[in-house]
Amino acid sequence: MALNRANVEEIVRAVGGADNIEAATHCVTRLRFALVDEKKVDKKLLDQNDLVKGHFSSQGQFQVVIGPGLVDKVYDEMITITGGQRSSKDDVKTLAGKKQNPLQQAIKTLADIFIPILPAIVTAGLLLGINNILTGPGIFFEGRSLVQEYPAWTDFAGIINLIANTAFTFLPALIGWSAVNRFGGSPLLGIVLGLILVHPDLLNAWGYAKAAQEGTIPHWNLFGWQLEKIGYQGQVLPVLVSAYLLARIEKFLNKRVHDSIKLLVVAPVALLVTGFLAFTIIGPVTFAIGNAITNGLVHVFNTLPALGGLLYGGFYALLVVTGMHHTFLAVDVQLIGSKGGTFLWPMLALSNIAQGSAALAMLLVFREQKSKGLAVTSSISAFLGVTEPAIFGVNIRYKYPFIFGMLGSALGGLVLTINHVLASSIGVGGVPGFLSIFPNQWGVFFVGMAIVLVVPFLLTAAYGKVAARKNGTGGGDTDNESAAVSYGTAAAAAVSAEAKVNSAAASSAVQASAPAADPEAASALRAGNAVKELDIYAPLSGKAVPLEQVPDPAFAERQMGQGIAIEPTDGRVVAPFDGKVVHIIKSNHAVILEHASGAQILIHVGINTVSLKGAPFTMHVGIGDEVKAGQLLLEFDREAILQAGLSVITPIIVPDGQQIVEQVAEEQLLNEAVAGRDAVLKIRLSS
């Protein structure tokens, strides 16, 4: 699309004018603004702008999706029009963070700390579920467990339990690593701090109640000061506060200690001071606060279980929309550590299913095939514990599925809480969530599961059909299907999805492959004929997934074009066809290629990897280079990206104006190594 200055001026007006722009930058696809007042944004004006493919607010930044190859020109023109200064992404991110209120900042901090350790917690939860099946009485045999009937399985179950419990036993080490990293300190010191708090010489926190009853709690005597010698297994607050202090002390010392003696001074002093304060002040105080919070919650749910179930079960989906659900990870962990089980996680699992059931019901309401595909794929995701595609892609867009999902979840929560259903672990949501529930409570949990499957589905389907008959539409499909969707700050930070999705690109665990260029297309080009269709081959090895699973609204909503994504298994990106390199992002994480026919494709490695400033990326081509299919374009350090807490999922995007005729089929084997035509990633473009 040719750049029209009037359109750029309209973008400036739509975001509130030059005076409302505190700072602005851009990445490969979008303009990123730190605005003085987001309420001044005219979203309708943005929707009408030919340059704008979408917009949303995320973590204090207002982002306007323009698309690759054009956004840098729009940005340059915008700077000329406003007379503003160019800003870096870090500048905008810092200013945007200041726009968040203290509650939003606290929620974001907790999310930043707990999300990186979720894989370990989810794994532990799954393994504990398997252990529950093996050791739970009454599952397979009347009043007896499988290991009691078959003793040979006892040690097998014991090993599974040991592996599963490790993440919870040493949870302070995981939190210490993530928290110190978040607060700007050395992650390694955070691990050591966490291990200090659960050292085997200390009284195990899970044995504290019994030791207190028996009067056998060990003590330290610090010059007459008696301190309880206890560990903090399963506790959250002690390690969080200690990690914050450790990071502050480390940063203070790093600024003042000479480089020649930093190794001898900074870490030892920081750990020694933090350790003493953790055991003398921080630990006892936060231990008491944590126990008071959990005791208060337990009291409320024991006294008014029905009300608690209705409220938490019903409104959990709203917590997801606001991003506040991350705060309850810490509460769940605290409940498991101090009480042996959590009554919150079972309701979370049912809320997942309820939103999935409501989204699935839209299959009967929608008439448009792509919308039906989204209803199916997003509901499956919710049934497996990830609700964002269903919530943001379907339910909130049409409102009534979201409401009926909340209603079903409230009824399910009521059933669980009046029967005091508990989860022994967290991390496993949706239908597999029963693995986290104590086996003797599975029956009640399955009743709640039946409620959240049936009630939202029937109500959504019935209401949708009535609405369809009343207004003569499909009940959900509208002419505005492709319009941009604006989410709230925390909601947009979550994984989001749009109703414009190709269900043929459903997630499949596959291995990818890139054959040589299409000889027929090359022949046609040499003859001077226009290429009507072009095969794009897989530029990476890995797992092919649909765009709606990409944790970035600009990609998930197709705001910048159609395509698929690949979850890479290695760190190589090769050319998907014979063509020319027309653009390389400065941080080397993305490249745009152009075929001789004029068709373009964007390969964007990872999400928010621009923040790494090029460190894990090595580019092997330059702008203007002619490349052959299968030629190495760039390499990246996959593990370094993951360790930075970022996703390596790689969108393969075809800009608007180029229609995808056919996408990779489910279970199609793919591999980036040049191979035969049978292994092609079948994306066809019609220009």
Side-chain angles (χ1 to χ4, degrees):
M1 178 186 295
L3 182 62
N4 187 324
R5 182 184 175 92
N7 285 339
V8 181
E9 292 174 341
E10 196 172 77
I11 291 175
V12 174
R13 287 198 302 275
V15 297
D19 292 341
N20 198 42
I21 302 173
E22 195 166 6
T25 186
H26 74 92
C27 60
V28 66
T29 60
R30 71 204 76 172
L31 301 171
R32 296 171 179 257
F33 295 97
L35 299 176
V36 177
D37 185 1
E38 272 195 25
K39 294 178 181 178
K40 293 183 179 180
V41 174
D42 188 339
K43 295 176 182 177
K44 290 184 178 179
L45 188 59
L46 284 174
D47 291 339
Q48 296 166 1
N49 195 307
D50 292 337
L51 289 175
V52 177
K53 294 180 172 62
H55 53 81
F56 57 91
S57 180
S58 176
Q59 299 181 13
Q61 295 182 36
F62 189 79
Q63 303 186 28
V64 178
V65 181
I66 304 297
L70 187 60
V71 65
D72 50 346
K73 298 175 184 177
V74 172
Y75 179 74
D76 290 342
E77 188 67 28
M78 185 183 71
I79 293 297
T80 302
I81 292 170
T82 61
Q85 293 183 339
R86 295 177 180 271
S87 302
S88 69
K89 295 177 181 64
D90 288 340
D91 293 336
V92 174
K93 186 176 180 180
T94 300
L95 288 169
K98 295 177 181 178
K99 302 297 180 184
Q100 296 177 312
N101 60 46
L103 178 59
Q104 289 174 320
Q105 291 177 1
I107 291 170
K108 183 181 182 301
T109 298
L110 279 176
D112 290 344
I113 292 170
F114 279 93
I115 287 177
I117 66 175
L118 269 183
I121 295 175
V122 170
T123 300
L126 280 170
L127 292 176
L128 282 173
I130 296 172
N131 180 70
N132 286 344
I133 293 174
L134 295 173
T135 60
I139 299 176
F140 301 104
F141 305 99
E142 183 91 26
R144 290 172 63 80
S145 67
L146 189 145
V147 296
Q148 287 175 322
E149 285 291 320
Y150 300 101
W153 286 85
T154 302
D155 288 340
F156 180 76
I159 292 174
I160 291 177
N161 189 51
L162 183 146
I163 296 171
N165 269 315
T166 297
F168 290 107
T169 301
F170 297 101
L171 185 66
L174 297 177
I175 296 175
W177 163 77
S178 188
V180 172
N181 187 48
R182 169 62 179 80
F183 295 135
S186 169
L188 182 60
L189 293 184
I191 294 174
V192 175
L193 172 65
L195 293 175
I196 289 171
L197 295 177
V198 292
H199 195 282
D201 283 354
L202 304 170
L203 171 66
N204 192 303
W206 291 313
Y208 179 80
K210 182 179 178 182
Q213 212 171 36
E214 297 173 351
T216 58
I217 298 176
H219 286 78
W220 277 304
N221 187 337
L222 298 180
F223 308 103
W225 186 9
Q226 295 291 318
L227 290 173
E228 292 182 337
K229 190 178 178 182
I230 61 171
Y232 294 97
Q233 288 86 355
Q235 298 290 313
V236 173
L237 287 178
V239 68
L240 280 179
V241 177
S242 299
Y244 175 77
L245 178 63
L246 175 64
R248 294 298 298 268
I249 293 174
E250 183 189 0
K251 288 194 288 187
F252 175 84
L253 293 174
N254 269 325
K255 291 180 180 178
R256 289 161 177 80
V257 175
H258 193 273
D259 289 346
S260 61
I261 58 171
K262 274 186 178 180
L263 185 63
L264 300 175
V265 175
V266 176
V269 171
L271 272 177
L272 189 63
V273 172
T274 305
F276 262 94
L277 290 174
F279 286 120
T280 57
I281 299 174
I282 297 173
V285 172
T286 55
F287 185 74
I289 293 173
N291 283 336
I293 293 172
T294 53
N295 288 335
L297 274 172
V298 170
H299 177 73
V300 169
F301 274 84
N302 283 341
T303 306
L304 300 168
L307 181 61
L310 284 170
L311 291 178
Y312 190 79
F315 288 105
Y316 181 79
L318 272 180
L319 295 178
V320 174
V321 172
T322 63
M324 291 183 65
H325 63 302
H326 293 304
T327 63
F328 286 91
L329 283 173
V331 178
D332 277 311
V333 171
Q334 181 75 22
L335 284 168
I336 292 171
S338 58
K339 302 299 179 182
T342 172
F343 44 80
L344 298 179
W345 191 265
M347 289 184 280
L348 173 151
L350 292 194
S351 178
N352 296 158
I353 300 169
Q355 291 298 321
S357 179
L360 184 61
M362 295 299 287
L363 177 67
L364 304 179
V365 178
F366 289 136
R367 292 186 302 182
E368 204 270 329
Q369 195 59 41
K370 290 184 179 180
S371 297
K372 288 178 178 287
L374 178 61
V376 173
T377 55
S378 63
S379 63
I380 291 173
S381 174
F383 290 152
L384 294 177
V386 181
T387 56
E388 283 85 359
I391 289 177
F392 297 121
V394 178
N395 296 353
I396 280 188
R397 287 175 63 82
Y398 304 106
K399 297 182 179 63
Y400 64 90
F402 185 69
I403 294 170
F404 291 141
M406 291 173 59
L407 178 59
S409 181
L411 295 175
L414 170 66
V415 170
L416 296 190
T417 51
I418 62 177
N419 288 281
H420 305 289
V421 174
L422 298 176
S424 60
S425 62
I426 64 173
V428 186
V431 174
F434 77 91
L435 293 171
S436 296
I437 309 301
F438 286 103
N440 63 336
Q441 297 174 327
W442 280 3
V444 177
F445 185 78
F446 288 142
V447 171
M449 189 183 294
I451 292 172
V452 296
L453 280 168
V454 173
V455 172
F457 186 91
L458 293 180
L459 291 177
T460 301
Y463 183 88
K465 291 294 185 183
V466 170
R469 285 195 296 269
K470 185 177 295 186
N471 59 29
T473 71
D477 303 317
T478 68
D479 293 334
N480 296 324
E481 182 109 309
S482 61
V485 179
S486 298
Y487 302 141
T489 297
V495 180
S496 54
E498 222 271 25
K500 290 182 62 181
V501 63
N502 188 335
S503 61
S507 176
S508 56
V510 295
Q511 296 255 344
S513 159
D518 185 348
E520 296 178 4
S523 175
L525 284 170
R526 283 194 295 270
N529 298 326
V531 177
K532 294 182 179 179
E533 292 188 353
L534 172 67
D535 283 351
I536 305 295
Y537 303 106
L540 304 94
S541 297
K543 174 185 176 184
V545 296
L547 278 185
E548 77 266 19
Q549 292 188 16
V550 176
D552 186 313
F555 293 114
E557 298 171 19
R558 306 293 207 274
Q559 291 178 358
M560 41 167 302
Q562 301 294 316
I564 66 164
I566 295 177
E567 189 79 45
T569 54
D570 61 23
R572 286 169 46 88
V573 177
V574 301
F577 51 67
D578 290 355
K580 182 180 180 180
V581 179
V582 295
H583 193 68
I584 295 174
I585 307 308
K586 291 181 181 179
S587 51
N588 288 337
H589 68 285
V591 60
I592 300 175
L593 300 181
E594 184 174 274
H595 189 265
S597 65
Q600 290 189 346
I601 188 168
L602 163 69
I603 305 169
H604 189 289
V605 179
I607 301 302
N608 287 328
T609 43
V610 65
S611 62
L612 300 178
K613 301 179 180 178
F617 302 97
T618 302
M619 188 65 65
H620 292 283
V621 293
I623 296 176
D625 286 358
E626 299 286 343
V627 296
K628 295 292 183 181
Q631 180 177 335
L632 182 63
L633 299 177
L634 70 93
E635 292 181 289
F636 58 93
D637 188 335
R638 183 175 177 276
E639 295 305 316
I641 296 173
L642 292 173
Q643 288 174 10
L646 302 175
S647 171
V648 293
I649 193 168
T650 299
I652 315 298
I653 299 297
V654 176
D656 287 344
Q658 299 169 175
Q659 178 187 358
I660 292 181
V661 177
E662 185 179 354
Q663 287 197 183
V664 59
E666 194 170 347
E667 302 301 330
Q668 172 73 47
L669 292 178
L670 306 168
N671 189 312
E672 59 89 11
V674 177
R677 286 186 59 84
D678 289 342
V680 69
L681 175 60
K682 289 184 179 294
I683 300 178
R684 294 182 182 272
L685 311 178
S686 290
S687 299

Short mmCIF file of all heavy atoms in Angstrom, two decimals, residues 647-670:
data_model
loop_
_atom_site.label_atom_id
_atom_site.label_comp_id
_atom_site.label_asym_id
_atom_site.label_seq_id
_atom_site.Cartn_x
_atom_site.Cartn_y
_atom_site.Cartn_z
N SER A 647 8.56 -16.31 24.38
CA SER A 647 8.12 -17.41 23.53
C SER A 647 8.96 -17.45 22.26
O SER A 647 9.29 -16.41 21.69
CB SER A 647 6.64 -17.25 23.16
OG SER A 647 6.26 -18.18 22.17
N VAL A 648 9.30 -18.67 21.79
CA VAL A 648 10.04 -18.81 20.54
C VAL A 648 9.10 -19.08 19.36
O VAL A 648 9.56 -19.25 18.23
CB VAL A 648 11.08 -19.95 20.62
CG1 VAL A 648 12.17 -19.62 21.60
CG2 VAL A 648 10.41 -21.27 20.97
N ILE A 649 7.81 -19.12 19.60
CA ILE A 649 6.86 -19.39 18.52
C ILE A 649 7.06 -18.37 17.40
O ILE A 649 7.21 -17.18 17.66
CB ILE A 649 5.41 -19.37 19.04
CG1 ILE A 649 4.46 -19.98 18.01
CG2 ILE A 649 4.97 -17.99 19.45
CD1 ILE A 649 3.07 -20.26 18.56
N THR A 650 7.12 -18.84 16.17
CA THR A 650 7.53 -18.00 15.04
C THR A 650 6.40 -17.86 14.02
O THR A 650 6.09 -18.81 13.30
CB THR A 650 8.77 -18.60 14.35
OG1 THR A 650 9.84 -18.65 15.31
CG2 THR A 650 9.19 -17.77 13.16
N PRO A 651 5.74 -16.70 13.96
CA PRO A 651 4.70 -16.48 12.95
C PRO A 651 5.30 -16.37 11.55
O PRO A 651 6.36 -15.76 11.35
CB PRO A 651 4.07 -15.14 13.37
CG PRO A 651 4.46 -14.96 14.81
CD PRO A 651 5.81 -15.59 14.93
N ILE A 652 4.64 -17.00 10.58
CA ILE A 652 4.99 -16.89 9.17
C ILE A 652 3.82 -16.16 8.51
O ILE A 652 2.75 -16.73 8.34
CB ILE A 652 5.17 -18.29 8.52
CG1 ILE A 652 6.01 -19.21 9.44
CG2 ILE A 652 5.77 -18.17 7.14
CD1 ILE A 652 7.40 -18.72 9.71
N ILE A 653 4.01 -14.90 8.15
CA ILE A 653 2.90 -14.02 7.81
C ILE A 653 2.94 -13.60 6.34
O ILE A 653 3.99 -13.22 5.81
CB ILE A 653 2.92 -12.75 8.70
CG1 ILE A 653 2.78 -13.14 10.16
CG2 ILE A 653 1.83 -11.78 8.29
CD1 ILE A 653 1.46 -13.81 10.49
N VAL A 654 1.79 -13.65 5.73
CA VAL A 654 1.58 -13.15 4.37
C VAL A 654 0.78 -11.86 4.49
O VAL A 654 -0.34 -11.88 4.98
CB VAL A 654 0.80 -14.18 3.53
CG1 VAL A 654 0.50 -13.62 2.16
CG2 VAL A 654 1.58 -15.47 3.43
N PRO A 655 1.32 -10.71 4.08
CA PRO A 655 0.61 -9.44 4.23
C PRO A 655 -0.71 -9.42 3.48
O PRO A 655 -0.93 -10.19 2.55
CB PRO A 655 1.60 -8.42 3.65
CG PRO A 655 2.93 -9.09 3.72
CD PRO A 655 2.66 -10.54 3.50
N ASP A 656 -1.59 -8.51 3.91
CA ASP A 656 -2.87 -8.36 3.24
C ASP A 656 -2.68 -8.05 1.76
O ASP A 656 -1.70 -7.41 1.36
CB ASP A 656 -3.68 -7.23 3.89
CG ASP A 656 -4.22 -7.65 5.26
OD1 ASP A 656 -4.22 -8.86 5.53
OD2 ASP A 656 -4.62 -6.76 6.02
N GLY A 657 -3.64 -8.46 0.94
CA GLY A 657 -3.54 -8.29 -0.49
C GLY A 657 -3.07 -9.55 -1.18
O GLY A 657 -3.10 -9.66 -2.40
N GLN A 658 -2.60 -10.51 -0.39
CA GLN A 658 -2.17 -11.80 -0.90
C GLN A 658 -3.01 -12.86 -0.20
O GLN A 658 -2.92 -13.02 1.01
CB GLN A 658 -0.68 -12.01 -0.63
CG GLN A 658 0.19 -10.97 -1.30
CD GLN A 658 1.62 -11.01 -0.83
OE1 GLN A 658 2.47 -10.30 -1.32
NE2 GLN A 658 1.91 -11.85 0.13
N GLN A 659 -3.82 -13.55 -0.94
CA GLN A 659 -4.78 -14.47 -0.35
C GLN A 659 -4.19 -15.86 -0.21
O GLN A 659 -3.58 -16.39 -1.12
CB GLN A 659 -6.03 -14.55 -1.23
CG GLN A 659 -7.08 -15.53 -0.73
CD GLN A 659 -8.21 -15.70 -1.72
OE1 GLN A 659 -8.22 -15.05 -2.74
NE2 GLN A 659 -9.14 -16.58 -1.41
N ILE A 660 -4.39 -16.47 0.97
CA ILE A 660 -3.96 -17.85 1.18
C ILE A 660 -5.05 -18.77 0.64
O ILE A 660 -6.19 -18.73 1.07
CB ILE A 660 -3.71 -18.13 2.67
CG1 ILE A 660 -2.50 -17.34 3.13
CG2 ILE A 660 -3.48 -19.62 2.90
CD1 ILE A 660 -2.15 -17.55 4.57
N VAL A 661 -4.67 -19.61 -0.30
CA VAL A 661 -5.62 -20.54 -0.88
C VAL A 661 -5.62 -21.86 -0.12
O VAL A 661 -6.66 -22.47 0.09
CB VAL A 661 -5.28 -20.79 -2.37
CG1 VAL A 661 -6.22 -21.81 -2.98
CG2 VAL A 661 -5.33 -19.47 -3.14
N GLU A 662 -4.45 -22.28 0.32
CA GLU A 662 -4.35 -23.58 0.99
C GLU A 662 -3.28 -23.52 2.06
O GLU A 662 -2.19 -23.00 1.82
CB GLU A 662 -4.00 -24.67 -0.04
CG GLU A 662 -4.00 -26.08 0.54
CD GLU A 662 -3.68 -27.12 -0.53
OE1 GLU A 662 -3.57 -26.74 -1.71
OE2 GLU A 662 -3.53 -28.29 -0.17
N GLN A 663 -3.59 -24.06 3.25
CA GLN A 663 -2.62 -24.08 4.34
C GLN A 663 -2.23 -25.51 4.69
O GLN A 663 -2.89 -26.45 4.27
CB GLN A 663 -3.18 -23.38 5.59
CG GLN A 663 -3.23 -21.88 5.43
CD GLN A 663 -3.38 -21.16 6.75
OE1 GLN A 663 -3.48 -19.97 6.74
NE2 GLN A 663 -3.38 -21.86 7.85
N VAL A 664 -1.18 -25.61 5.47
CA VAL A 664 -0.69 -26.93 5.86
C VAL A 664 -1.81 -27.73 6.55
O VAL A 664 -2.54 -27.21 7.37
CB VAL A 664 0.52 -26.80 6.81
CG1 VAL A 664 0.20 -26.02 8.05
CG2 VAL A 664 1.06 -28.17 7.17
N ALA A 665 -1.94 -28.96 6.16
CA ALA A 665 -2.97 -29.82 6.74
C ALA A 665 -2.51 -30.38 8.07
O ALA A 665 -1.32 -30.49 8.35
CB ALA A 665 -3.30 -30.96 5.78
N GLU A 666 -3.47 -30.75 8.90
CA GLU A 666 -3.16 -31.35 10.19
C GLU A 666 -2.37 -32.64 9.99
O GLU A 666 -2.65 -33.41 9.07
CB GLU A 666 -4.46 -31.63 10.94
CG GLU A 666 -4.25 -31.94 12.42
CD GLU A 666 -5.56 -31.97 13.16
OE1 GLU A 666 -6.56 -31.51 12.59
OE2 GLU A 666 -5.56 -32.46 14.28
N GLU A 667 -1.37 -32.87 10.84
CA GLU A 667 -0.51 -34.05 10.79
C GLU A 667 0.43 -34.06 9.59
O GLU A 667 1.11 -35.05 9.34
CB GLU A 667 -1.34 -35.36 10.80
CG GLU A 667 -2.25 -35.52 11.99
CD GLU A 667 -1.48 -35.50 13.31
OE1 GLU A 667 -0.32 -35.93 13.32
OE2 GLU A 667 -2.05 -35.06 14.31
N GLN A 668 0.49 -32.97 8.81
CA GLN A 668 1.44 -32.90 7.71
C GLN A 668 2.86 -32.88 8.27
O GLN A 668 3.18 -32.11 9.17
CB GLN A 668 1.20 -31.63 6.90
CG GLN A 668 2.26 -31.34 5.83
CD GLN A 668 2.14 -32.28 4.67
OE1 GLN A 668 1.06 -32.49 4.18
NE2 GLN A 668 3.24 -32.86 4.25
N LEU A 669 3.71 -33.75 7.77
CA LEU A 669 5.10 -33.78 8.23
C LEU A 669 5.88 -32.65 7.59
O LEU A 669 5.85 -32.49 6.37
CB LEU A 669 5.73 -35.13 7.90
CG LEU A 669 5.17 -36.33 8.66
CD1 LEU A 669 5.85 -37.61 8.21
CD2 LEU A 669 5.33 -36.15 10.15
N LEU A 670 6.58 -31.91 8.40
CA LEU A 670 7.32 -30.74 7.92
C LEU A 670 8.74 -30.77 8.46
O LEU A 670 8.97 -31.18 9.59
CB LEU A 670 6.63 -29.45 8.38
CG LEU A 670 5.15 -29.32 8.03
CD1 LEU A 670 4.56 -28.17 8.80
CD2 LEU A 670 4.98 -29.12 6.56
#
